[in-house]
Amino acid sequence: MNATTRRFLRRVFAFCRAVVKTAVFAPMAARAASAPARIWAALSWATLICLAGSACQAAPEGPPVQPQEQPASEEQPASDSRSVHFTAAGDIGLGGGAKAVLDVIAGLKPDLNIVLGDLSYQAGAEQAFCDMVTKKLGQDFPYELITGNHESDGHDGDIGKFAQCLPNRLPGLQGTYGTQWYVDVPRDRPLVRFILISPGIDFPGGQPLDYSQGSNRWRWTESAIDGARAANIPWTVVGMHTPCFSMGKYGCQPGERLTNMLVSKNVDLVLTGHQHVYQRTRQLRLTERCPVLVPGEARNDCVADSDNDLAQGQGTVFVTVGVGGAGHHDVQADDPEAGLFAVWTGKNSDRTLGTLDVRLTHARLEARFVPAAGFTFTDAFAIER
């Protein structure tokens, strides 16, 4: 409170004291025997006169007082202590590696798991895969699916059958579960929107779904991201099977334009599988000096932050977690995109199996890689709002 305001308040209080003395105590001394009703009437008049007097005082001179910061909306109070805990991995299979990773997930006890595609790697084994998962995690655990290329076209399983025996367990899901969907978690006052899409892989008939710029699926994805921002949902996580950037053998299967759209909208985290490695990019951004991210290049101007403590809104982190159980691919340390990456591991470089483990609150997202038994590679990073 500044000196001008204090002087103004002192004048108001002095005025009120004078009014009360004149309107209440003086009449009470003169008419000590009067009825109590008259005293109450005098008090009421004094109160009204005092309020009117203070309201009519001129505003204090001087610079305007800066408005106080408005409290957070009812949907996202500033003191929100709730959290969401999820795991994510893809490229799983039916072998011992898959079971070891499921054991890790069971031990972490997350609220849900995001499956980044490529499930059984075997036609006709949908029920066996589902039984393996439910035996480890329970019948009702939210083991949430997005298709990979091995089951999208049915040649190594059918995503529709997987979705029947491992159905969605999260309320409020929008879209087509297993192929293209989003959901807010928790449903009441959500902390995160998960958006799962399927670009760059073939479906029955040998054709990929159309995620070209301006297509229905492009607009759906844009709308899901923009809708999360409009609803003041703190975090946005996009998942898909195929990565754009990789130190392995695959190119940018989701498409350059779709990838740049995600970065332009500052999606916080993009999760992928497909490449059987673990790799995490630095926080990537678009600026005047980096108007577009070009696959096959690694420009410093496109890197917002290179360390493990990041700030929200500065860019996007891409993490490939293709080590859910089904073996490994090599990484290429001399890959032309290597400069975009903060960490990596593959068959020829500290190979691992495991899961990404993410905990987020209203204010902070913390992620770490947790290896399965027998492996030692770890990684950790955080994004602060």
Side-chain angles (χ1 to χ4, degrees):
M1 184 182 296
N2 59 35
T4 303
T5 304
R6 286 197 294 271
R7 288 196 299 271
F8 167 66
L9 291 176
R10 282 198 295 270
R11 288 199 296 268
V12 172
F13 294 150
F15 174 78
C16 291
R17 284 198 300 270
V19 170
V20 172
K21 182 177 180 181
T22 302
V24 178
F25 294 108
M28 286 176 65
R31 297 186 297 276
S34 61
R38 293 181 179 178
I39 297 175
W40 285 111
L43 282 168
S44 300
W45 279 108
T47 301
L48 291 171
I49 293 169
C50 181
L51 290 172
S54 63
C56 294
Q57 296 296 314
E61 296 179 358
V65 178
Q66 292 295 321
Q68 293 184 350
E69 183 176 335
Q70 294 297 314
S73 67
E74 183 179 350
E75 290 74 17
Q76 298 294 342
S79 61
D80 196 342
S81 62
R82 299 170 306 137
S83 65
V84 172
H85 178 201
F86 71 94
T87 50
D91 305 278
I92 299 163
L94 289 164
K99 294 171 184 175
V101 174
L102 288 172
D103 285 338
V104 173
I105 296 170
L108 292 170
K109 295 181 170 56
D111 301 322
L112 69 144
N113 180 80
I114 301 295
V115 187
L116 297 168
D118 282 3
L119 308 180
S120 66
Y121 290 87
Q122 184 177 330
E126 294 91 348
Q127 190 60 54
F129 181 88
C130 295
D131 291 344
M132 177 185 71
V133 171
T134 55
K135 182 178 179 179
K136 295 287 188 179
L137 302 179
Q139 289 286 342
D140 297 325
F141 177 76
Y143 192 78
E144 302 292 300
L145 305 179
I146 193 68
T147 188
N149 61 292
H150 279 269
E151 57 275 346
S152 59
D153 63 0
H155 76 276
D156 274 339
D158 184 335
I159 185 58
K161 293 179 179 178
F162 286 113
Q164 288 176 357
C165 57
L166 288 170
N168 167 53
R169 302 290 185 185
L170 299 175
L173 183 142
Q174 303 292 315
T176 303
Y177 176 66
T179 303
Q180 178 178 288
W181 54 272
Y182 75 82
V183 69
D184 300 335
V185 179
R187 189 174 188 180
D188 179 38
R189 296 189 295 130
L191 292 171
V192 57
R193 174 168 289 185
F194 295 101
I195 304 169
L196 281 298
I197 55 178
S198 296
I201 58 178
D202 289 342
F203 280 77
Q207 295 298 317
L209 302 180
D210 184 7
Y211 282 90
S212 63
Q213 186 170 2
S215 67
N216 289 338
R217 293 183 184 276
W218 171 291
R219 292 197 300 270
W220 183 96
T221 306
E222 271 193 318
S223 179
I225 298 168
D226 294 343
R229 299 281 188 256
N232 295 317
I233 298 174
W235 302 98
T236 304
V237 175
V238 171
M240 66 185 96
H241 182 58
T242 55
C244 180
F245 307 113
S246 178
M247 294 178 63
K249 62 182 182 179
Y250 296 123
C252 182
Q253 291 180 246
E256 177 182 329
R257 291 186 176 182
L258 180 68
T259 302
N260 277 276
M261 183 265 281
L262 301 179
V263 178
S264 73
K265 291 186 176 294
N266 282 325
V267 168
D268 298 299
L269 186 61
V270 176
L271 303 176
T272 63
H274 195 46
Q275 188 77 54
H276 294 192
V277 303
Y278 176 86
Q279 55 187 8
R280 170 171 62 89
T281 70
R282 299 179 165 99
Q283 193 176 41
L284 306 182
R285 64 180 176 183
L286 301 181
T287 65
E288 289 185 0
R289 299 185 66 178
C290 175
V292 63
L293 283 155
V294 179
E297 296 183 1
R299 297 171 53 197
N300 288 335
D301 290 335
C302 302
V303 176
D305 200 334
S306 297
D307 61 28
N308 298 333
D309 295 305
L310 310 171
Q312 189 187 50
Q314 300 304 304
T316 301
V317 178
F318 294 79
V319 184
T320 299
V321 196
V323 288
H328 303 85
H329 293 159
D330 287 342
V331 290
Q332 311 299 328
D334 59 351
D335 189 278
E337 294 175 352
L340 298 178
F341 286 89
V343 295
W344 60 84
T345 174
K347 182 179 180 180
N348 58 336
S349 177
D350 197 12
R351 71 187 184 94
T352 193
L353 296 176
T355 185
L356 190 68
D357 180 43
V358 183
R359 297 173 186 266
L360 58 85
T361 65
H362 182 269
R364 186 174 172 86
L365 182 154
E366 295 182 342
R368 60 179 181 143
F369 180 81
V370 182
F375 300 95
T376 60
F377 172 85
T378 59
D379 179 37
F381 65 98
I383 306 174
E384 193 90 25
R385 295 187 77 223

